[in-house]
Amino acid sequence: MSVAATTTTTIAKASPARGLAARSTAATTTTGGLGLGRRRRSSDAARRRRRGVARRVGVVVLAAASKGDDRPVVIIDNYDSFTYNLSQYLGDLGCEHVVYKNDEKTVAEIAAMNPKGVMVSPGPGRPEDSGISLEACEKLGPEFGVFGVCMGHQCIGQVFGGTVVRAPCGLMHGKSSPVWHTEEEGQLLHGLPRRVPISRRPFEAARYHSLVISREGFPEDELEVTAWTKDQTIMAVKHRKYPKIQGVQFHPESIITENGLHIIRNWVNLIDA
């Protein structure tokens, strides 16, 4: 697979054995992710291996296709460095994907790509600051499915009738909380491995946010709450009519979150079905 010679596009291919070797740290990102920061401290040899796979000239990565379906997942990047961790996990799962900044493509252009699914990344500010993300949740979600992470989760809540408010617990930055969840098949937190075989045991999840979907006036007719914290802060939602539209307030792509790769695998399996 060739490397596109544009200023915003890198194309790489993940090795099934080694996962996604390209862990891009393009200068277009604006916020720091814990996992990414640790990766920057990797050895010179590791950096040389990564440069052999993908040049640091942009933010689009293609991994090996899964299940013979070469349609890509589209990641809408809300100018957040955690986007690259999400890309890493999709690459580890052998899921072909492309990454576009939230002002780089129109929703119509993404729809014309016939993507396998759409992922809306974390990002700074409110959903109104997320470029095409709100429109993508509304117009692409019912047909292709949307997985919203942090701000992406808030976009789903706002599009389908919820209100995004200041978190009652205040700013959560790099903190972890126990998260309880439902166990129904078809939701992203189904089947999480458990260290203790106790039904509905919470798992630890990484939180980097100051906003949440409000419990007050929650659109029960459109969305279902599938995860929550001890103080009943909403941590995950699923659309009742379109189950491929799901969001999580926490960061499954952070090393702080237990079984984050399993959660993302559940979504990939959902859109592959």
Side-chain angles (χ1 to χ4, degrees), residues 107-186:
V107 167
E109 287 172 330
I110 293 175
M113 295 173 61
N114 189 31
K116 183 185 295 185
V118 177
M119 183 178 285
V120 180
S121 87
R126 293 184 53 85
E128 295 88 344
D129 305 317
S130 64
I132 65 168
S133 297
L134 287 167
E135 185 184 0
C137 291
E138 178 185 8
K139 296 181 178 178
L140 302 180
E143 182 174 358
F144 303 108
V146 166
F147 180 22
V149 178
C150 198
M151 178 183 276
H153 160 88
Q154 294 162 15
C155 287
I156 290 172
Q158 186 162 311
V159 162
F160 294 104
T163 304
V164 175
V165 299
R166 289 284 177 186
C169 59
L171 175 66
M172 301 291 286
H173 188 77
K175 299 178 182 179
S176 68
S177 297
V179 172
W180 285 261
H181 61 94
T182 62
E183 270 290 353
E184 288 82 3
E185 287 193 37

Side-chain angles (χ1 to χ4, degrees), residues 8-209:
T8 60
T9 304
T10 303
I11 298 179
K13 191 160 186 174
S15 163
R18 293 172 55 192
L20 183 65
R23 299 179 183 179
S24 174
T25 56
T28 48
T29 60
T30 60
T31 61
L34 176 62
L36 189 60
R38 291 185 178 178
R39 288 175 185 140
R40 285 173 179 157
R41 295 196 292 271
S42 61
S43 66
D44 290 341
R47 284 196 294 271
R48 285 195 296 272
R49 285 196 297 271
R50 288 198 295 272
R51 283 197 293 267
V53 178
R55 300 169 189 168
R56 292 178 176 181
V57 296
V59 295
V60 176
V61 180
L62 298 183
S66 61
K67 296 188 177 181
D69 185 348
D70 60 359
R71 294 180 303 147
V73 165
V74 171
I75 302 178
I76 298 175
D77 176 17
N78 286 304
Y79 288 86
D80 192 275
S81 61
F82 268 117
T83 303
Y84 301 104
N85 298 37
L86 291 168
S87 173
Q88 164 71 35
Y89 273 9
L90 287 179
D92 287 346
L93 294 169
C95 181
E96 186 170 323
H97 59 285
V98 294
V99 181
Y100 296 116
K101 296 297 187 185
N102 65 21
D103 54 2
E104 188 175 354
K105 292 282 185 182
T106 66
V107 167
E109 287 172 330
I110 293 175
M113 295 173 61
N114 189 31
K116 183 185 295 185
V118 177
M119 183 178 285
V120 180
S121 87
R126 293 184 53 85
E128 295 88 344
D129 305 317
S130 64
I132 65 168
S133 297
L134 287 167
E135 185 184 0
C137 291
E138 178 185 8
K139 296 181 178 178
L140 302 180
E143 182 174 358
F144 303 108
V146 166
F147 180 22
V149 178
C150 198
M151 178 183 276
H153 160 88
Q154 294 162 15
C155 287
I156 290 172
Q158 186 162 311
V159 162
F160 294 104
T163 304
V164 175
V165 299
R166 289 284 177 186
C169 59
L171 175 66
M172 301 291 286
H173 188 77
K175 299 178 182 179
S176 68
S177 297
V179 172
W180 285 261
H181 61 94
T182 62
E183 270 290 353
E184 288 82 3
E185 287 193 37
Q187 67 104 339
L188 299 183
L189 306 178
H190 174 72
L192 295 185
R194 299 183 184 278
R195 291 176 296 180
V196 180
I198 299 176
S199 177
R200 297 180 70 171
R201 170 192 171 272
F203 66 96
E204 289 294 317
R207 300 173 66 181
Y208 292 81
H209 66 98

Side-chain angles (χ1 to χ4, degrees), residues 180-252:
W180 285 261
H181 61 94
T182 62
E183 270 290 353
E184 288 82 3
E185 287 193 37
Q187 67 104 339
L188 299 183
L189 306 178
H190 174 72
L192 295 185
R194 299 183 184 278
R195 291 176 296 180
V196 180
I198 299 176
S199 177
R200 297 180 70 171
R201 170 192 171 272
F203 66 96
E204 289 294 317
R207 300 173 66 181
Y208 292 81
H209 66 98
S210 61
L211 304 174
V212 295
I213 300 172
S214 177
R215 281 276 186 179
E216 185 176 349
F218 183 80
E220 296 280 358
D221 56 333
E222 293 278 354
L223 301 174
E224 172 189 359
V225 175
T226 56
W228 57 92
T229 57
K230 186 176 181 179
D231 64 2
Q232 296 302 306
T233 298
I234 296 172
M235 285 288 112
V237 297
K238 176 177 128 178
H239 199 282
R240 292 185 181 277
K241 183 178 180 181
Y242 305 109
K244 292 183 180 181
I245 300 176
Q246 299 197 40
V248 294
Q249 179 61 72
F250 60 90
H251 286 250

